[in-house]
Amino acid sequence: MSITERMLETYPGSITGTDQARLRACVDACAACAEACDACADACLSERSVADLTVCVRTTLDCAEVCGATRRVLTRQTGSEERVLRALLNACATVCAVCRAECEQHAAEHAHCRICARECQICEQACRDMLSTL
Amino acid sequence: MSITERMLETYPGSITGTDQARLRACVDACAACAEACDACADACLSERSVADLTVCVRTTLDCAEVCGATRRVLTRQTGSEERVLRALLNACATVCAVCRAECEQHAAEHAHCRICARECQICEQACRDMLSTL
Amino acid sequence: MSITERMLETYPGSITGTDQARLRACVDACAACAEACDACADACLSERSVADLTVCVRTTLDCAEVCGATRRVLTRQTGSEERVLRALLNACATVCAVCRAECEQHAAEHAHCRICARECQICEQACRDMLSTL
Amino acid sequence: MSITERMLETYPGSITGTDQARLRACVDACAACAEACDACADACLSERSVADLTVCVRTTLDCAEVCGATRRVLTRQTGSEERVLRALLNACATVCAVCRAECEQHAAEHAHCRICARECQICEQACRDMLSTL
């Protein structure tokens, strides 16, 4: 059982308006995607072909940032506001889609881009799954 | 001249697709709003009536987080992607609008909420101004 | 295999000066602790006794912030600087120790504080284990 | 009057154990340094000589991250804990010193590194000034 799941189980208030399994999956996907993106940005910086990977560095940094912010907002349940969740999940899904497309261009050459693209795909789907329940 | 302005002036690439004055205004508004929201969340925690301000604490923390992420993404110009900027600016404007409405409910009693509501208003407008130029 | 482990395996540069197993454990402990702390802060806000938990809210937010920053810095390997790692790991261990002590005071009453205290303990140890290898 | 100053003035609790002018100066220096570092990282990515600047990208990203975390922790006054502030200010001063030294190596060629080095110097000093009052 992940830490997200255990913490959700002990939440003293009611968690309304969201499917708990999808919420948990989305929090964990955001955390994993943020880690993959931060690592991919740094791996790109270490490639000899870094000059061809600058857009990838930037995109993975942006994706890590938005996934991190989304994780924190989703984790908070007190006074959750549907409009905010909706706009932020949409932004997160968008940056994941863009980052996945960017990383896929380098996936044949760089394993870190291949793994990162896959995490972006999972996270985009988790955001869309959660959006569909709001 | 703000640090944002000085750094933009030294940017070696071209800054395309955005009005520089609006970009700078938006970065600075996000930074100011993040600081106001973090401070307001903490001030609410120090109020004797904290039990009535928990939604305000949560909303200001969310707003600080999204403004912070938006500031960082906007600051990066290498390979800026319009779809990402659009979705993130929309999310930031949304959370600023929600946070402003929440803080305005407490503005008569708490000066920190009054100042914070005003920063949220400025930041929402700066995001919308920048969205209109994309 | 965690995403941290898979990304480290694909890192194109050399990972010097650190024990990889401890690095990975520390990155994952920081991520788990950040999530537990963000969730605990929000759970405290939802308790009827929130007025008695404001120091806990603040401390868990600080711990989440420092763990999050430490995770990102540890994830980057390009040009890793021992002095920075040492100072940051020390700060992270310190805030985890303080947060654990705070949460333990509420552990009998609140399961979220009990779980959070345990994650802080694990993360403090992971930081100290990594410090011992630098 | 900066937003930091205005928010501190409306703080409902007592701000103990710190010199308010130095606290405010340190919060503002962390915010400015975070912005300069994020912008410098991105400017380095846009330089033709990016392959020679990868350590600079990494160091400025780390510095931005730690300055951002320090800003948020300093902004919170509820239950401020001296041990945490001390360790974090020390980490922030350290990363600023390292980042300044890195950027100074490129200051002759790149104006963004020159400005960034100066912000790192100011922020390091502000952290040390605040440390001296704890």
Side-chain angles (χ1 to χ4, degrees), chain B:
Chain B
M1 194 158 63
S2 78
I3 190 68
T4 311
E5 198 168 357
R6 285 193 290 149
M7 291 306 285
L8 274 172
E9 277 192 355
T10 65
Y11 187 70
S14 60
I15 298 176
T16 53
T18 44
D19 179 296
Q20 279 205 41
R22 291 193 181 192
L23 171 61
R24 181 174 50 74
C26 198
V27 168
D28 287 342
C30 283
C33 194
E35 179 59 27
C37 284
D38 276 324
C40 190
D42 184 62
C44 287
L45 282 175
S46 285
E47 295 287 355
R48 257 185 292 187
S49 57
V50 57
D52 301 324
L53 293 166
T54 56
V55 171
C56 197
V57 173
R58 188 256 158 95
T59 310
T60 45
L61 287 175
D62 285 356
C63 194
E65 195 69 30
V66 177
C67 286
T70 305
R71 178 190 71 70
R72 297 190 88 173
V73 171
L74 287 179
T75 293
R76 288 192 266 271
Q77 296 301 314
T78 316
S80 198
E81 176 72 41
E82 192 187 305
R83 265 186 304 163
V84 171
L85 294 183
R86 198 176 285 283
L88 190 55
L89 285 166
N90 182 56
C92 194
T94 301
V95 71
C96 284
V98 167
C99 193
R100 174 192 173 187
E102 176 61 34
C103 280
E104 279 178 351
Q105 291 184 44
H106 315 289
E109 287 163 281
H110 303 306
H112 51 82
C113 285
R114 195 158 56 243
I115 299 173
C116 190
R118 177 73 182 133
E119 291 303 313
C120 289
Q121 184 182 24
I122 293 170
C123 191
E124 182 192 356
Q125 192 56 52
C127 289
R128 298 213 183 284
D129 286 348
M130 214 191 131
L131 271 169
S132 73
T133 68
L134 292 178

Side-chain angles (χ1 to χ4, degrees), chain A residues 13-87:
Chain A
S14 61
I15 298 175
T16 52
T18 45
D19 179 295
Q20 279 204 42
R22 292 193 181 192
L23 171 61
R24 182 175 49 74
C26 198
V27 167
D28 288 342
C30 284
C33 194
E35 179 60 27
C37 284
D38 276 325
C40 190
D42 185 62
C44 287
L45 282 176
S46 286
E47 294 286 355
R48 257 185 293 186
S49 57
V50 58
D52 302 324
L53 293 166
T54 55
V55 171
C56 197
V57 174
R58 188 255 158 96
T59 310
T60 44
L61 288 175
D62 285 355
C63 194
E65 195 68 31
V66 177
C67 287
T70 304
R71 178 191 69 71
R72 298 190 88 175
V73 171
L74 288 178
T75 293
R76 288 192 267 270
Q77 295 301 315
T78 316
S80 199
E81 176 71 41
E82 192 187 304
R83 266 186 303 164
V84 170
L85 293 184
R86 197 176 285 282

Side-chain angles (χ1 to χ4, degrees), chain A residues 8 16 29 41 47 50 52 55 66-67 70 80 83 89 95 103-105 108-110 122 127-128 132:
Chain A
L8 274 172
T16 52
E47 294 286 355
V50 58
D52 302 324
V55 171
V66 177
C67 287
T70 304
S80 199
R83 266 186 303 164
L89 286 165
V95 70
C103 279
E104 279 179 349
Q105 291 184 42
E109 287 163 281
H110 304 306
I122 293 169
C127 289
R128 298 210 184 285
S132 72

Side-chain angles (χ1 to χ4, degrees), chain B residues 11 35 42 46 71 77, chain D residues 11 35 42 46 71 77-78:
Chain B
Y11 187 70
E35 179 59 27
D42 184 62
S46 285
R71 178 190 71 70
Q77 296 301 314
Chain D
Y11 187 69
E35 178 61 27
D42 185 61
S46 285
R71 179 192 69 71
Q77 296 301 315
T78 315

Side-chain angles (χ1 to χ4, degrees), chain C residues 79 81 83-84, chain D residues 59 93-103 120 124:
Chain C
E81 175 73 38
R83 266 186 303 164
V84 170
Chain D
T59 309
T94 302
V95 72
C96 284
V98 167
C99 194
R100 173 192 174 189
E102 176 61 35
C103 280
C120 289
E124 183 193 355

